[in-house]
Amino acid sequence: MATVDDKSYEVHNDDLSHHFNGTHEVLECPEDLDETEKHDPTSKCNKPHDKYILVKDLSPRHFPYGYQDNDLVNFTKLLSDLTVRISISYVSPDRPQFISGTSAEYPGYKNRGKKALLVGTGKVWDVVKYAEDMDVPERTYRTCPCPKCLKSDTPEKVWWEAVVLTARHVVYDGEEASRSKCRLWYDSVQTPVVNIYGFELAGSYSNRDNCMFFCATHDLEVGEKLQIMLDRFEDLWSSVWKKYKDRNDEANIVIIVSHPHGNVKKVSVGHWVDRQEVSKNITRYTYTNSTCAGSSGALVYRLGYKVADHPHSGTNPTGLNYSGLEVD
């Protein structure tokens, strides 16, 4: 699929309030990620960590009074199932020097064109199963494009493609997409390592801090498991939306599942504080949820809203977090 850079959704810097500028929360690691996990990554972080919830511990009591139901717990766990830790091993030479509209340095800028490790969060948005003999004219690859198959004389002929949604400052362009991998189901330190591998950019949006990229796996069980999870997620998404759509501005509940500090995923429940409509149906939010470096790109789910593809973007000087731009 061709790269998308949709100018119709660009936002002029004059339209951005100070509430939505600050520090992006992609994790920049000077060493291998596995080595990073051997010490306490929170020791140098000045953000609070006491409100994060492990997925296995999530229960109705973690939600505000009046919203303590099992459907919401099950929905959040399905959101967790589709949440991935993204690691990129190379920084594109095209990353800008500054965050748009600010004098703050853009993540990864000092390592442009070099091997370096960037870590963030994303969500599996869709999956498709392919076989070599399928007649799909727009496909670039006829066999599995994972790193192993690209180097093989006998690449796998049946494979799954996954579309992952994240922030653009996590995966900036096609060069970074093709050097990325996404770890699935990283819920505890005992969880087996299961990766899908980025191979191509799907869409990159200039001032929205939003991108999608394609990943591949020829582990057919992984693809089938993701398909089942997506189907369940869509069903429960619809059910939860219908239950709370008339109360979406009552408690302003926000749910984020991310990989703070590149470690096991955590759930954070908060509420949104400010909504900015920057053009027709294009919005961004500030919210109180716990996030840290590594949380960038996580889905910002606002309870009661039918569309919720805003990526987590960063934290502002007041301590509030802010999203990228998306359709509301």
Side-chain angles (χ1 to χ4, degrees):
M1 180 176 179
T3 297
V4 177
D5 196 352
D6 195 339
K7 300 296 183 181
S8 66
Y9 287 126
E10 280 195 353
V11 182
H12 298 294
N13 293 334
D14 292 344
D15 296 329
L16 304 181
S17 79
H18 68 279
H19 294 293
F20 300 93
N21 288 321
T23 304
H24 287 321
E25 293 196 305
V26 65
L27 179 65
E28 300 186 56
C29 300
E31 54 192 72
D32 183 79
L33 187 56
D34 292 335
E35 290 297 317
T36 301
E37 293 171 347
K38 290 179 181 178
H39 62 266
D40 179 11
T42 66
S43 60
K44 297 181 180 179
C45 179
N46 59 8
K47 300 188 77 173
H49 299 87
D50 59 327
K51 293 185 179 180
Y52 284 123
I53 309 157
L54 287 171
V55 177
K56 69 179 182 62
D57 296 333
L58 187 68
S59 71
R61 68 182 176 83
H62 290 111
F63 295 93
Y65 179 78
Y67 297 85
Q68 297 176 337
D69 72 82
N70 286 319
D71 278 351
L72 199 47
V73 172
N74 292 332
F75 168 81
T76 304
K77 289 185 175 181
L78 280 170
L79 174 59
S80 170
D81 286 337
L82 297 170
T83 298
V84 299
R85 185 189 72 183
I86 303 170
S87 53
I88 305 100
S89 60
Y90 172 81
V91 179
S92 169
D94 293 328
R95 281 192 174 243
Q97 183 175 2
F98 300 111
I99 297 172
S100 180
T102 78
S103 59
E105 186 175 288
Y106 199 82
Y109 175 77
K110 62 181 178 291
N111 287 316
R112 291 192 310 168
K114 300 177 183 177
K115 290 184 177 180
L117 190 63
L118 301 177
V119 181
T121 300
K123 174 187 173 287
V124 176
W125 188 69
D126 194 18
V127 291
V128 179
K129 186 178 182 180
Y130 286 122
E132 184 183 39
D133 58 355
M134 289 175 62
D135 184 18
V136 187
E138 66 272 19
R139 284 176 56 207
T140 303
Y141 295 92
R142 309 304 299 181
T143 56
C144 178
C146 78
K148 182 178 179 180
C149 286
L150 288 176
K151 296 176 182 178
S152 174
D153 294 331
T154 56
E156 296 292 336
K157 297 180 180 180
V158 181
W159 55 284
W160 283 83
E161 174 188 274
V163 180
V164 174
L165 175 66
T166 188
R168 189 180 186 186
H169 71 269
V170 176
V171 177
Y172 188 75
D173 58 15
E175 288 199 65
E176 293 185 3
S178 65
R179 292 171 170 87
S180 67
K181 62 181 178 182
C182 298
R183 182 170 177 179
L184 303 170
W185 312 312
Y186 182 25
D187 295 343
S188 74
V189 293
Q190 290 82 30
T191 304
V193 177
V194 179
N195 289 317
I196 54 178
Y197 297 90
F199 65 90
E200 191 174 87
L201 198 68
S204 177
Y205 301 91
S206 302
N207 285 345
R208 295 169 65 182
D209 197 21
N210 184 314
C211 90
M212 295 183 291
F213 65 104
F214 295 114
C215 294
T217 178
H218 54 253
D219 187 326
L220 302 187
E221 290 185 5
V222 168
E224 288 160 5
K225 186 176 179 179
L226 285 172
Q227 182 67 77
I228 292 170
M229 289 175 169
L230 275 165
D231 291 343
R232 290 175 179 169
F233 179 80
E234 292 299 326
D235 288 344
L236 201 46
W237 177 297
S238 179
S239 175
V240 169
W241 169 69
K242 289 175 182 177
K243 182 181 290 189
Y244 292 108
K245 65 179 181 177
D246 296 328
R247 301 171 61 190
N248 58 2
D249 292 332
E250 191 175 279
N252 295 353
I253 293 174
V254 172
I255 300 167
I256 294 178
V257 184
S258 71
H259 285 279
H261 300 287
N263 282 329
V264 298
K265 70 177 67 134
K266 303 283 180 59
V267 178
S268 174
V269 179
H271 65 275
W272 64 264
V273 176
D274 189 19
R275 176 183 183 272
Q276 182 187 38
E277 185 167 356
V278 296
S279 61
K280 187 177 180 180
N281 298 324
I282 304 296
T283 61
R284 63 196 315 184
Y285 288 81
T286 59
Y287 36 90
T288 63
N289 299 62
S290 295
T291 60
C292 291
S295 295
S296 276
L299 179 71
V300 180
Y301 176 74
R302 288 123 39 245
L303 183 62
Y305 285 78
K306 192 170 186 179
V307 180
D309 290 337
H310 292 70
H312 172 60
S313 188
T315 184
N316 70 28
T318 71
L320 284 176
N321 297 307
Y322 61 93
S323 72
L325 293 107
E326 251 302 342
V327 177
D328 218 348

